[in-house]
Short mmCIF file of all heavy atoms in Angstrom, two decimals:
data_model
loop_
_atom_site.label_atom_id
_atom_site.label_comp_id
_atom_site.label_asym_id
_atom_site.label_seq_id
_atom_site.Cartn_x
_atom_site.Cartn_y
_atom_site.Cartn_z
N MET A 1 62.34 1.27 62.21
CA MET A 1 62.35 2.29 63.08
C MET A 1 62.22 1.81 64.53
O MET A 1 61.45 0.97 64.87
CB MET A 1 61.01 3.21 62.73
CG MET A 1 60.58 4.26 63.65
SD MET A 1 61.47 5.78 63.45
CE MET A 1 60.89 6.26 61.83
N ILE A 2 62.98 2.42 65.41
CA ILE A 2 63.07 2.11 66.81
C ILE A 2 62.51 3.29 67.60
O ILE A 2 62.98 4.44 67.26
CB ILE A 2 64.48 1.70 67.20
CG1 ILE A 2 64.95 0.55 66.47
CG2 ILE A 2 64.48 1.52 68.75
CD1 ILE A 2 66.39 0.30 66.67
N LEU A 3 61.62 3.12 68.51
CA LEU A 3 61.20 4.11 69.49
C LEU A 3 61.89 3.95 70.78
O LEU A 3 61.77 2.81 71.38
CB LEU A 3 59.71 4.11 69.65
CG LEU A 3 59.13 5.04 70.70
CD1 LEU A 3 59.30 6.44 70.42
CD2 LEU A 3 57.75 4.68 71.06
N VAL A 4 62.57 5.01 71.24
CA VAL A 4 63.19 4.99 72.56
C VAL A 4 62.36 5.98 73.47
O VAL A 4 62.32 7.08 73.16
CB VAL A 4 64.66 5.45 72.52
CG1 VAL A 4 65.24 5.54 73.89
CG2 VAL A 4 65.48 4.55 71.62
N THR A 5 61.67 5.42 74.51
CA THR A 5 60.94 6.28 75.39
C THR A 5 62.00 6.83 76.43
O THR A 5 63.07 6.16 76.63
CB THR A 5 59.92 5.47 76.26
OG1 THR A 5 60.58 4.48 76.99
CG2 THR A 5 58.95 4.82 75.29
N GLY A 6 61.78 8.12 76.87
CA GLY A 6 62.73 8.67 77.84
C GLY A 6 63.92 9.18 77.05
O GLY A 6 65.08 9.14 77.57
N GLY A 7 63.76 9.60 75.88
CA GLY A 7 64.85 10.01 75.00
C GLY A 7 65.65 11.20 75.42
O GLY A 7 66.70 11.55 75.05
N SER A 8 65.03 11.96 76.44
CA SER A 8 65.82 13.11 76.94
C SER A 8 66.65 12.76 78.24
O SER A 8 67.29 13.58 78.79
CB SER A 8 64.86 14.27 77.21
OG SER A 8 63.88 13.91 78.08
N GLY A 9 66.36 11.65 78.76
CA GLY A 9 66.95 11.26 79.96
C GLY A 9 68.53 10.75 79.78
O GLY A 9 68.97 10.63 78.74
N PHE A 10 69.10 10.42 80.90
CA PHE A 10 70.43 9.96 80.92
C PHE A 10 70.70 8.69 80.04
O PHE A 10 71.58 8.68 79.18
CB PHE A 10 70.96 9.79 82.32
CG PHE A 10 72.41 9.29 82.51
CD1 PHE A 10 73.40 10.22 82.26
CD2 PHE A 10 72.73 7.97 82.73
CE1 PHE A 10 74.74 9.93 82.38
CE2 PHE A 10 74.05 7.58 82.86
CZ PHE A 10 74.95 8.70 82.66
N VAL A 11 69.90 7.68 80.37
CA VAL A 11 70.15 6.38 79.69
C VAL A 11 69.59 6.45 78.21
O VAL A 11 70.18 6.09 77.28
CB VAL A 11 69.45 5.20 80.47
CG1 VAL A 11 69.54 3.93 79.70
CG2 VAL A 11 70.05 5.01 81.72
N GLY A 12 68.35 7.13 78.00
CA GLY A 12 67.70 7.19 76.84
C GLY A 12 68.58 7.94 75.82
O GLY A 12 68.74 7.51 74.53
N SER A 13 69.04 9.07 76.26
CA SER A 13 69.96 9.93 75.26
C SER A 13 71.20 9.19 74.92
O SER A 13 71.66 9.29 73.73
CB SER A 13 70.14 11.33 75.88
OG SER A 13 70.89 11.18 77.12
N ALA A 14 71.90 8.48 75.87
CA ALA A 14 73.06 7.79 75.56
C ALA A 14 72.68 6.55 74.55
O ALA A 14 73.59 6.34 73.62
CB ALA A 14 73.72 7.21 76.82
N LEU A 15 71.61 5.89 74.74
CA LEU A 15 71.27 4.88 73.81
C LEU A 15 70.86 5.47 72.37
O LEU A 15 71.41 4.83 71.43
CB LEU A 15 70.06 4.08 74.38
CG LEU A 15 69.46 3.00 73.46
CD1 LEU A 15 70.47 1.92 73.21
CD2 LEU A 15 68.15 2.56 73.98
N LEU A 16 70.30 6.67 72.35
CA LEU A 16 69.99 7.16 71.04
C LEU A 16 71.33 7.52 70.24
O LEU A 16 71.41 7.25 69.06
CB LEU A 16 69.15 8.49 71.20
CG LEU A 16 67.70 8.28 71.59
CD1 LEU A 16 67.07 9.67 71.91
CD2 LEU A 16 66.87 7.60 70.39
N LYS A 17 72.24 8.08 70.99
CA LYS A 17 73.56 8.30 70.41
C LYS A 17 74.24 6.99 69.84
O LYS A 17 74.71 7.10 68.66
CB LYS A 17 74.45 9.09 71.38
CG LYS A 17 74.09 10.48 71.66
CD LYS A 17 74.99 11.01 72.83
CE LYS A 17 74.39 12.40 73.17
NZ LYS A 17 75.15 12.91 74.28
N GLN A 18 74.23 5.96 70.54
CA GLN A 18 74.85 4.72 70.15
C GLN A 18 74.03 4.17 68.95
O GLN A 18 74.69 3.73 67.89
CB GLN A 18 74.86 3.68 71.24
CG GLN A 18 75.48 2.44 70.86
CD GLN A 18 76.91 2.52 70.36
OE1 GLN A 18 77.74 3.21 71.11
NE2 GLN A 18 77.34 2.07 69.19
N LEU A 19 72.71 4.25 68.93
CA LEU A 19 71.86 3.65 67.84
C LEU A 19 72.06 4.51 66.62
O LEU A 19 72.14 4.04 65.52
CB LEU A 19 70.42 3.61 68.27
CG LEU A 19 70.15 2.58 69.27
CD1 LEU A 19 68.66 2.69 69.82
CD2 LEU A 19 70.36 1.17 68.82
N LEU A 20 72.20 5.88 66.71
CA LEU A 20 72.52 6.70 65.73
C LEU A 20 73.87 6.34 64.97
O LEU A 20 73.97 6.28 63.69
CB LEU A 20 72.57 8.17 65.99
CG LEU A 20 71.18 8.89 66.02
CD1 LEU A 20 71.47 10.30 66.64
CD2 LEU A 20 70.57 8.96 64.59
N ASN A 21 74.88 6.02 65.80
CA ASN A 21 76.15 5.73 65.27
C ASN A 21 76.01 4.32 64.53
O ASN A 21 76.89 4.06 63.57
CB ASN A 21 77.19 5.50 66.36
CG ASN A 21 77.64 6.95 67.01
OD1 ASN A 21 77.54 7.90 66.17
ND2 ASN A 21 78.10 6.98 68.15
N ASP A 22 75.12 3.52 64.96
CA ASP A 22 74.94 2.17 64.31
C ASP A 22 74.10 2.33 63.06
O ASP A 22 73.80 1.28 62.37
CB ASP A 22 74.31 1.18 65.27
CG ASP A 22 75.25 0.81 66.43
OD1 ASP A 22 76.48 1.12 66.33
OD2 ASP A 22 74.73 0.33 67.43
N GLY A 23 73.61 3.49 62.70
CA GLY A 23 72.79 3.71 61.47
C GLY A 23 71.28 3.37 61.60
O GLY A 23 70.65 3.24 60.67
N CYS A 24 70.81 3.34 62.84
CA CYS A 24 69.31 3.02 63.03
C CYS A 24 68.47 4.21 62.69
O CYS A 24 68.87 5.39 62.93
CB CYS A 24 69.20 2.51 64.42
SG CYS A 24 70.00 0.97 64.82
N GLU A 25 67.27 3.92 62.20
CA GLU A 25 66.21 5.01 62.08
C GLU A 25 65.57 5.14 63.36
O GLU A 25 65.09 4.07 63.92
CB GLU A 25 65.26 4.60 60.95
CG GLU A 25 64.27 5.58 60.64
CD GLU A 25 63.36 5.13 59.52
OE1 GLU A 25 63.46 4.07 59.04
OE2 GLU A 25 62.53 5.99 58.98
N LEU A 26 65.48 6.32 64.07
CA LEU A 26 65.07 6.40 65.40
C LEU A 26 64.01 7.48 65.59
O LEU A 26 63.84 8.46 64.91
CB LEU A 26 66.39 6.88 66.23
CG LEU A 26 67.47 5.94 66.26
CD1 LEU A 26 68.61 6.60 66.99
CD2 LEU A 26 67.04 4.72 67.05
N ARG A 27 63.21 7.24 66.56
CA ARG A 27 62.15 8.11 67.17
C ARG A 27 62.33 7.99 68.58
O ARG A 27 62.64 7.01 69.24
CB ARG A 27 60.84 7.62 66.59
CG ARG A 27 59.67 8.59 67.00
CD ARG A 27 58.31 8.09 66.43
NE ARG A 27 58.42 8.20 64.96
CZ ARG A 27 57.67 7.55 64.14
NH1 ARG A 27 56.77 6.71 64.61
NH2 ARG A 27 57.75 7.62 62.87
N ALA A 28 62.05 9.15 69.25
CA ALA A 28 62.17 9.23 70.73
C ALA A 28 61.02 9.97 71.31
O ALA A 28 60.55 10.89 70.74
CB ALA A 28 63.50 10.04 71.14
N SER A 29 60.55 9.62 72.50
CA SER A 29 59.58 10.32 73.26
C SER A 29 60.27 10.89 74.43
O SER A 29 61.28 10.40 74.90
CB SER A 29 58.45 9.32 73.67
OG SER A 29 58.86 8.43 74.60
N ALA A 30 59.66 12.04 74.77
CA ALA A 30 60.16 12.76 75.99
C ALA A 30 59.06 13.50 76.68
O ALA A 30 58.08 13.83 75.91
CB ALA A 30 61.26 13.72 75.49
N ARG A 31 59.16 13.83 77.91
CA ARG A 31 58.15 14.54 78.64
C ARG A 31 58.20 16.10 78.43
O ARG A 31 57.15 16.73 78.58
CB ARG A 31 58.21 14.36 80.10
CG ARG A 31 57.68 12.96 80.42
CD ARG A 31 57.50 12.80 82.05
NE ARG A 31 58.91 12.72 82.50
CZ ARG A 31 59.21 12.83 83.83
NH1 ARG A 31 58.17 13.07 84.67
NH2 ARG A 31 60.34 12.73 84.17
N SER A 32 59.35 16.66 78.04
CA SER A 32 59.43 18.01 77.88
C SER A 32 60.30 18.30 76.61
O SER A 32 61.16 17.37 76.13
CB SER A 32 60.16 18.71 79.02
OG SER A 32 61.43 18.14 79.31
N SER A 33 60.23 19.47 76.10
CA SER A 33 61.03 19.79 74.81
C SER A 33 62.44 19.77 75.28
O SER A 33 62.81 20.13 76.45
CB SER A 33 60.61 21.09 74.38
OG SER A 33 60.75 22.14 75.33
N LEU A 34 63.32 19.36 74.33
CA LEU A 34 64.78 19.35 74.63
C LEU A 34 65.52 20.51 74.15
O LEU A 34 65.25 21.03 73.17
CB LEU A 34 65.34 18.05 73.96
CG LEU A 34 64.57 16.83 74.27
CD1 LEU A 34 65.06 15.69 73.31
CD2 LEU A 34 64.80 16.41 75.65
N SER A 35 66.54 20.88 74.91
CA SER A 35 67.40 21.96 74.51
C SER A 35 68.33 21.59 73.37
O SER A 35 68.78 22.33 72.47
CB SER A 35 68.10 22.57 75.63
OG SER A 35 68.83 21.65 76.24
N THR A 36 68.65 20.30 73.42
CA THR A 36 69.63 19.78 72.39
C THR A 36 69.09 18.54 71.94
O THR A 36 69.14 17.44 72.40
CB THR A 36 70.97 19.45 73.05
OG1 THR A 36 70.83 18.65 74.13
CG2 THR A 36 71.67 20.74 73.45
N GLU A 37 68.34 18.56 70.75
CA GLU A 37 67.70 17.28 70.11
C GLU A 37 68.87 16.90 69.23
O GLU A 37 69.54 17.51 68.51
CB GLU A 37 66.53 17.61 69.30
CG GLU A 37 65.33 18.07 70.28
CD GLU A 37 64.11 18.29 69.48
OE1 GLU A 37 64.09 18.28 68.25
OE2 GLU A 37 63.13 18.60 70.15
N LEU A 38 68.90 15.55 69.03
CA LEU A 38 69.86 14.90 68.33
C LEU A 38 69.43 14.93 66.82
O LEU A 38 68.24 14.62 66.51
CB LEU A 38 70.14 13.39 68.66
CG LEU A 38 70.65 13.20 70.01
CD1 LEU A 38 70.76 11.77 70.25
CD2 LEU A 38 72.19 13.76 69.99
N LYS A 39 70.30 15.29 65.90
CA LYS A 39 69.99 15.40 64.47
C LYS A 39 69.76 13.99 63.99
O LYS A 39 70.58 13.11 64.24
CB LYS A 39 71.05 16.03 63.79
CG LYS A 39 70.82 16.38 62.30
CD LYS A 39 71.83 17.20 61.72
CE LYS A 39 71.29 17.73 60.23
NZ LYS A 39 72.15 18.75 59.85
N GLY A 40 68.71 13.78 63.25
CA GLY A 40 68.37 12.30 62.74
C GLY A 40 67.35 11.61 63.56
O GLY A 40 67.10 10.51 63.31
N VAL A 41 66.87 12.26 64.71
CA VAL A 41 65.92 11.58 65.55
C VAL A 41 64.65 12.26 65.50
O VAL A 41 64.71 13.58 65.69
CB VAL A 41 66.47 11.53 67.02
CG1 VAL A 41 65.40 10.87 67.96
CG2 VAL A 41 67.80 10.75 67.12
N GLN A 42 63.57 11.59 65.32
CA GLN A 42 62.16 12.30 65.39
C GLN A 42 61.77 12.24 66.80
O GLN A 42 61.78 11.20 67.42
CB GLN A 42 61.22 11.50 64.54
CG GLN A 42 61.50 11.28 63.10
CD GLN A 42 60.56 10.32 62.33
OE1 GLN A 42 59.51 10.08 62.90
NE2 GLN A 42 60.92 9.94 61.24
N TYR A 43 61.41 13.40 67.32
CA TYR A 43 60.94 13.46 68.66
C TYR A 43 59.51 13.76 68.83
O TYR A 43 58.92 14.46 68.07
CB TYR A 43 61.62 14.69 69.50
CG TYR A 43 63.16 14.42 69.80
CD1 TYR A 43 64.07 14.68 68.85
CD2 TYR A 43 63.56 13.73 70.91
CE1 TYR A 43 65.42 14.35 69.04
CE2 TYR A 43 64.82 13.41 71.29
CZ TYR A 43 65.80 13.78 70.30
OH TYR A 43 67.12 13.54 70.53
N HIS A 44 58.87 13.08 69.81
CA HIS A 44 57.43 13.16 70.10
C HIS A 44 57.35 13.54 71.59
O HIS A 44 57.91 12.85 72.54
CB HIS A 44 56.73 11.97 69.83
CG HIS A 44 56.50 11.58 68.40
ND1 HIS A 44 55.41 12.09 67.66
CD2 HIS A 44 57.34 11.08 67.56
CE1 HIS A 44 55.69 11.79 66.40
NE2 HIS A 44 56.81 11.08 66.31
N LEU A 45 56.67 14.60 71.87
CA LEU A 45 56.38 15.08 73.26
C LEU A 45 55.26 14.12 73.80
O LEU A 45 54.10 14.17 73.35
CB LEU A 45 55.92 16.55 73.24
CG LEU A 45 56.58 17.38 74.30
CD1 LEU A 45 58.10 17.12 74.38
CD2 LEU A 45 56.28 18.83 74.04
N ILE A 46 55.47 13.57 74.89
CA ILE A 46 54.54 12.73 75.70
C ILE A 46 54.62 13.17 77.09
O ILE A 46 55.47 12.84 77.85
CB ILE A 46 54.77 11.17 75.58
CG1 ILE A 46 54.89 10.66 74.18
CG2 ILE A 46 53.78 10.50 76.43
CD1 ILE A 46 53.64 10.57 73.44
N ARG A 47 53.75 14.10 77.45
CA ARG A 47 53.80 14.72 78.87
C ARG A 47 53.56 13.82 79.98
O ARG A 47 54.33 13.83 80.94
CB ARG A 47 52.76 15.88 78.86
CG ARG A 47 53.05 16.90 77.85
CD ARG A 47 53.27 18.26 78.54
NE ARG A 47 53.44 19.32 77.53
CZ ARG A 47 54.61 19.88 77.28
NH1 ARG A 47 55.66 19.57 78.02
NH2 ARG A 47 54.73 20.75 76.33
N ASP A 48 52.64 12.96 79.86
CA ASP A 48 52.38 12.00 80.94
C ASP A 48 52.09 10.67 80.37
O ASP A 48 51.32 10.43 79.37
CB ASP A 48 51.07 12.41 81.79
CG ASP A 48 51.29 13.69 82.58
OD1 ASP A 48 52.29 13.69 83.27
OD2 ASP A 48 50.46 14.50 82.52
N MET A 49 52.71 9.58 80.97
CA MET A 49 52.38 8.23 80.55
C MET A 49 51.43 7.71 81.46
O MET A 49 51.77 7.33 82.59
CB MET A 49 53.69 7.32 80.53
CG MET A 49 54.55 7.54 79.32
SD MET A 49 55.86 6.29 79.09
CE MET A 49 57.22 7.16 79.34
N THR A 50 50.31 7.49 81.00
CA THR A 50 49.25 6.89 81.61
C THR A 50 48.42 5.79 80.84
O THR A 50 48.86 5.70 79.54
CB THR A 50 48.12 7.84 82.18
OG1 THR A 50 47.42 8.43 80.99
CG2 THR A 50 48.79 8.97 82.93
N ALA A 51 47.57 5.10 81.25
CA ALA A 51 46.74 4.14 80.57
C ALA A 51 46.02 4.81 79.39
O ALA A 51 45.80 4.15 78.41
CB ALA A 51 45.75 3.45 81.36
N SER A 52 45.69 6.10 79.53
CA SER A 52 44.91 6.76 78.47
C SER A 52 45.86 7.64 77.45
O SER A 52 45.33 8.21 76.52
CB SER A 52 43.90 7.78 79.08
OG SER A 52 44.64 8.79 79.83
N THR A 53 47.15 7.55 77.58
CA THR A 53 48.10 8.21 76.68
C THR A 53 47.94 7.69 75.26
O THR A 53 47.87 6.52 75.05
CB THR A 53 49.56 7.97 77.08
OG1 THR A 53 49.75 8.55 78.41
CG2 THR A 53 50.44 8.71 76.12
N ASP A 54 47.79 8.65 74.30
CA ASP A 54 47.64 8.31 72.92
C ASP A 54 48.97 8.17 72.21
O ASP A 54 49.80 9.14 72.03
CB ASP A 54 46.83 9.40 72.18
CG ASP A 54 46.62 9.09 70.66
OD1 ASP A 54 47.03 7.97 70.26
OD2 ASP A 54 46.07 9.90 70.05
N TRP A 55 49.45 6.94 71.99
CA TRP A 55 50.78 6.61 71.43
C TRP A 55 50.68 6.40 69.95
O TRP A 55 51.70 6.14 69.27
CB TRP A 55 51.28 5.44 72.06
CG TRP A 55 51.73 5.65 73.48
CD1 TRP A 55 50.95 5.50 74.63
CD2 TRP A 55 53.09 6.07 73.88
NE1 TRP A 55 51.78 5.79 75.66
CE2 TRP A 55 53.10 6.14 75.29
CE3 TRP A 55 54.21 6.39 73.13
CZ2 TRP A 55 54.21 6.57 75.95
CZ3 TRP A 55 55.30 6.61 73.89
CH2 TRP A 55 55.29 6.80 75.27
N TYR A 56 49.56 6.75 69.30
CA TYR A 56 49.29 6.29 67.89
C TYR A 56 50.47 7.00 66.88
O TYR A 56 51.15 6.27 66.19
CB TYR A 56 47.99 6.73 67.44
CG TYR A 56 47.72 6.31 65.92
CD1 TYR A 56 47.48 5.01 65.59
CD2 TYR A 56 47.90 7.28 64.92
CE1 TYR A 56 47.30 4.65 64.25
CE2 TYR A 56 47.70 7.02 63.58
CZ TYR A 56 47.44 5.64 63.28
OH TYR A 56 47.28 5.32 61.96
N THR A 57 50.65 8.26 67.14
CA THR A 57 51.57 8.95 66.21
C THR A 57 53.08 8.54 66.52
O THR A 57 53.81 8.27 65.60
CB THR A 57 51.44 10.51 66.53
OG1 THR A 57 50.14 10.83 66.13
CG2 THR A 57 52.42 11.24 65.55
N ALA A 58 53.35 8.40 67.79
CA ALA A 58 54.68 8.03 68.17
C ALA A 58 54.96 6.54 67.67
O ALA A 58 56.16 6.27 67.34
CB ALA A 58 54.97 8.16 69.57
N LEU A 59 54.01 5.75 67.72
CA LEU A 59 54.29 4.26 67.40
C LEU A 59 54.07 3.96 65.93
O LEU A 59 54.43 2.87 65.48
CB LEU A 59 53.36 3.35 68.17
CG LEU A 59 53.69 3.23 69.66
CD1 LEU A 59 52.63 2.58 70.45
CD2 LEU A 59 55.11 2.57 69.79
N ASN A 60 53.51 4.88 65.07
CA ASN A 60 53.36 4.64 63.66
C ASN A 60 54.50 4.30 62.89
O ASN A 60 55.44 5.06 62.85
CB ASN A 60 52.63 5.79 63.03
CG ASN A 60 52.08 5.49 61.69
OD1 ASN A 60 51.74 4.37 61.34
ND2 ASN A 60 51.90 6.61 60.90
N GLY A 61 54.65 3.16 62.37
CA GLY A 61 55.83 2.69 61.67
C GLY A 61 56.94 2.07 62.47
O GLY A 61 58.08 1.77 61.86
N VAL A 62 56.73 1.99 63.74
CA VAL A 62 57.84 1.55 64.61
C VAL A 62 57.84 -0.05 64.69
O VAL A 62 56.79 -0.58 64.91
CB VAL A 62 57.61 2.13 66.09
CG1 VAL A 62 58.47 1.43 67.08
CG2 VAL A 62 57.93 3.64 66.06
N GLN A 63 58.99 -0.65 64.57
CA GLN A 63 59.11 -2.09 64.69
C GLN A 63 59.49 -2.58 66.10
O GLN A 63 59.35 -3.73 66.42
CB GLN A 63 60.10 -2.66 63.69
CG GLN A 63 59.61 -2.58 62.28
CD GLN A 63 59.82 -1.19 61.63
OE1 GLN A 63 60.82 -0.51 61.95
NE2 GLN A 63 59.00 -0.83 60.74
N ALA A 64 60.17 -1.69 66.84
CA ALA A 64 60.74 -2.04 68.27
C ALA A 64 60.68 -0.81 69.10
O ALA A 64 60.84 0.34 68.70
CB ALA A 64 62.14 -2.52 68.18
N VAL A 65 60.33 -1.11 70.39
CA VAL A 65 60.39 -0.07 71.43
C VAL A 65 61.38 -0.45 72.48
O VAL A 65 61.40 -1.56 72.97
CB VAL A 65 59.01 0.10 72.12
CG1 VAL A 65 59.05 1.08 73.22
CG2 VAL A 65 57.86 0.49 71.10
N VAL A 66 62.28 0.55 72.83
CA VAL A 66 63.13 0.36 73.93
C VAL A 66 62.71 1.41 75.03
O VAL A 66 62.73 2.56 74.85
CB VAL A 66 64.66 0.67 73.59
CG1 VAL A 66 65.49 0.35 74.76
CG2 VAL A 66 65.01 -0.24 72.48
N HIS A 67 62.15 0.77 76.21
CA HIS A 67 61.58 1.69 77.20
C HIS A 67 62.68 2.08 78.28
O HIS A 67 63.04 1.32 78.90
CB HIS A 67 60.43 0.82 77.88
CG HIS A 67 59.79 1.61 78.96
ND1 HIS A 67 59.14 2.84 78.71
CD2 HIS A 67 59.51 1.45 80.25
CE1 HIS A 67 58.55 3.32 79.83
NE2 HIS A 67 58.85 2.41 80.75
N CYS A 68 63.01 3.35 78.12
CA CYS A 68 63.95 3.90 79.13
C CYS A 68 63.42 4.99 79.94
O CYS A 68 64.11 5.58 80.71
CB CYS A 68 65.22 4.53 78.34
SG CYS A 68 66.12 3.30 77.29
N ALA A 69 62.16 5.36 79.79
CA ALA A 69 61.42 6.35 80.58
C ALA A 69 61.39 6.08 82.06
O ALA A 69 60.96 4.76 82.27
CB ALA A 69 60.14 6.76 80.04
N ALA A 70 61.61 6.92 82.94
CA ALA A 70 61.39 6.61 84.34
C ALA A 70 61.15 7.90 85.08
O ALA A 70 61.52 8.98 84.63
CB ALA A 70 62.68 6.01 84.91
N ARG A 71 60.40 7.83 86.15
CA ARG A 71 60.22 9.01 86.97
C ARG A 71 61.12 8.98 88.04
O ARG A 71 61.31 8.09 88.86
CB ARG A 71 58.68 8.91 87.56
CG ARG A 71 58.31 10.25 88.21
CD ARG A 71 56.89 10.05 88.66
NE ARG A 71 56.08 10.25 87.40
CZ ARG A 71 55.12 11.03 87.24
NH1 ARG A 71 54.80 11.79 88.23
NH2 ARG A 71 54.50 11.24 86.10
N VAL A 72 62.05 10.09 88.04
CA VAL A 72 63.17 10.10 89.04
C VAL A 72 63.09 11.53 89.62
O VAL A 72 62.45 12.41 89.15
CB VAL A 72 64.50 9.87 88.24
CG1 VAL A 72 64.61 8.44 87.71
CG2 VAL A 72 64.81 10.90 87.16
N HIS A 73 63.94 11.52 90.62
CA HIS A 73 64.13 12.73 91.46
C HIS A 73 62.90 13.06 92.19
O HIS A 73 62.25 13.91 92.27
CB HIS A 73 64.59 13.95 90.62
CG HIS A 73 65.84 13.69 89.89
ND1 HIS A 73 67.08 13.44 90.53
CD2 HIS A 73 66.12 13.60 88.65
CE1 HIS A 73 68.00 13.19 89.59
NE2 HIS A 73 67.37 13.32 88.45
#
């Protein structure tokens, strides 16, 4: 299982699509609910990334994390 942070962003969503095509088991975190979630990806809402953010559920069973989240605009 791979967790992609920033799964609703430009880079994160493109990476998720490629990893899905490669047959990877995926989970993604995003700050807001998505209008178009990719089928086959488990999504977790993480509103704010701070030192006190509880990542337990999102990271459970994950072997790798690809960090694509960024504060932009």
Side-chain angles (χ1 to χ4, degrees):
M1 171 84 63
I2 300 170
L3 171 66
V4 176
T5 65
S8 61
F10 181 75
V11 174
S13 61
L15 178 61
L16 285 170
K17 288 175 187 173
Q18 181 60 52
L19 291 172
L20 272 175
N21 286 337
D22 292 343
C24 296
E25 187 178 2
L26 297 170
R27 187 174 291 159
S29 68
R31 281 189 291 166
S32 60
S33 57
L34 306 172
S35 58
T36 56
E37 293 183 356
L38 295 172
K39 191 172 191 164
V41 178
Q42 300 173 15
Y43 286 90
H44 288 270
L45 228 46
I46 304 286
R47 297 239 183 251
D48 290 313
M49 275 198 248
T50 66
S52 62
T53 299
D54 181 5
W55 286 91
Y56 181 80
T57 304
L59 290 171
N60 190 24
V62 168
Q63 290 82 33
V65 175
V66 181
H67 183 55
C68 297
R71 190 169 286 232
V72 295
H73 304 295

